[in-house]
Amino acid sequence: MCARVRQSVYIRDALQEWIGSAALAAVFAPEPVLQAASGWQQMAKKVQHWYDYLWLWPIIYFVLGFFNILFAWLGMIDFMVPVLLALFGGNKLFCNRYCGRGLLLAKLGGEWKWSRNRATPELLVAKWFRFGFLCFFMAMFGNMLWQTYLVATQAQSLREVVTLLWTFKVPWAWAYTAGSSPAWVAQYAFGFYSVMLTSMLLGLVVMALFKPRTWCTFCPMGTMTQMICKMKK
């Protein structure tokens, strides 16, 4: 018993000595040392994960599609993954963590201060607007599929254009080499790239005017996955 008491006293004295020396070090340490320690603590708090770099994905996607329109098919990842996560996971994990567009808008508007950071208008978060925009988006997507079908059945020739804001047709012929793929594959790529670029432009506009991720409040994919999650519950 005496040995245990002596051991406890020894441990107590050692701890008191260590705490005291640490306190003295904090008081008398040079300013550069304290700043370096603070910097290391901040770096430790900002541990980066692989998905923190997904903001690069939209940039890579649009650059690839600029030079070769067939890369536009890669955008299907941004359509399929959130739906699958909502169906089988019952959550919006893609929107909250893995959405490259959302991360890019947050970086541009948040870290780089390209946003006025004003409150999002109530119109954009209203339920009727979000579901109305989803219906409009799906109608335009359906029209894109119809155009692809017409080209596949040779009822219509391939249109090598990118349509911005569902209205303005921009020639994009340099991004496709005739015969490199079936015409309907290229038509779908032109249409899908148009959808992705249009939504990106809208996201940048509302980012600049309001909160960085204002687009996320009425994003069609976000509204759709929210509906799926509610139905699963």
Side-chain angles (χ1 to χ4, degrees):
M1 179 65 68
C2 293
R4 289 184 180 180
V5 171
R6 286 196 299 271
Q7 185 178 12
S8 300
V9 172
Y10 174 78
I11 293 174
R12 183 199 62 190
D13 294 342
L15 286 173
Q16 289 178 347
E17 182 179 356
W18 180 81
I19 293 172
S21 61
L24 289 174
V27 173
F28 296 105
E31 186 66 21
V33 175
L34 293 177
Q35 291 178 353
S38 177
W40 279 109
Q41 290 177 353
Q42 293 178 0
M43 289 178 63
K45 292 180 180 179
K46 297 181 180 179
V47 176
Q48 295 291 307
H49 301 89
W50 64 268
Y51 48 80
D52 292 324
Y53 299 97
L54 287 176
W55 63 271
L56 292 168
W57 166 239
I59 300 174
I60 295 171
Y61 174 79
F62 289 117
V63 170
L64 290 175
F66 181 85
F67 292 104
N68 190 329
I69 197 62
L70 297 180
F71 281 111
W73 279 81
L74 292 175
M76 290 299 297
I77 296 173
D78 293 328
F79 270 56
M80 300 303 298
V81 173
V83 173
L84 291 174
L85 287 176
L87 283 173
F88 298 103
N91 56 59
K92 295 186 63 177
L93 186 62
F94 181 86
C95 296
N96 297 330
R97 180 177 296 177
Y98 302 125
C99 179
R101 178 174 300 176
L103 292 171
L104 177 60
L105 294 174
K107 179 168 286 290
L108 294 177
E111 292 185 30
W112 296 359
K113 309 299 182 183
W114 289 7
S115 171
R116 300 173 70 183
N117 207 33
R118 294 190 174 183
T120 302
E122 294 183 3
L123 168 67
L124 299 182
V125 299
K127 188 175 182 179
W128 67 267
F129 179 84
R130 292 188 293 111
F131 284 97
F133 187 72
L134 172 62
C135 292
F136 173 76
F137 180 87
M138 295 305 295
M140 294 299 100
F141 189 79
N143 181 64
M144 183 196 78
L145 294 178
W146 174 246
Q147 298 299 323
T148 302
Y149 171 77
L150 292 177
V151 173
T153 57
Q154 299 183 349
Q156 178 179 289
S157 59
L158 173 64
R159 299 179 180 179
E160 299 177 357
V161 297
V162 168
T163 306
L164 297 179
L165 300 173
W166 303 284
T167 305
F168 307 103
K169 299 186 182 301
V170 181
W172 217 267
W174 69 81
Y176 176 68
T177 303
S180 60
S181 69
W184 71 268
V185 173
Q187 184 62 59
Y188 184 90
F190 279 111
F192 199 81
Y193 194 81
S194 300
V195 171
M196 296 292 282
L197 188 55
T198 292
S199 56
M200 186 73 241
L201 291 175
L202 290 175
L204 289 172
V205 169
V206 294
M207 175 213 73
L209 295 176
F210 311 113
K211 296 286 186 180
R213 294 190 65 162
T214 295
W215 164 258
C216 301
T217 61
F218 62 96
C219 170
M221 290 306 302
T223 304
M224 187 185 303
T225 52
Q226 185 180 36
M227 291 173 56
I228 295 174
C229 291
K230 286 185 177 180
M231 287 188 295
K232 286 184 66 68
K233 292 179 180 179

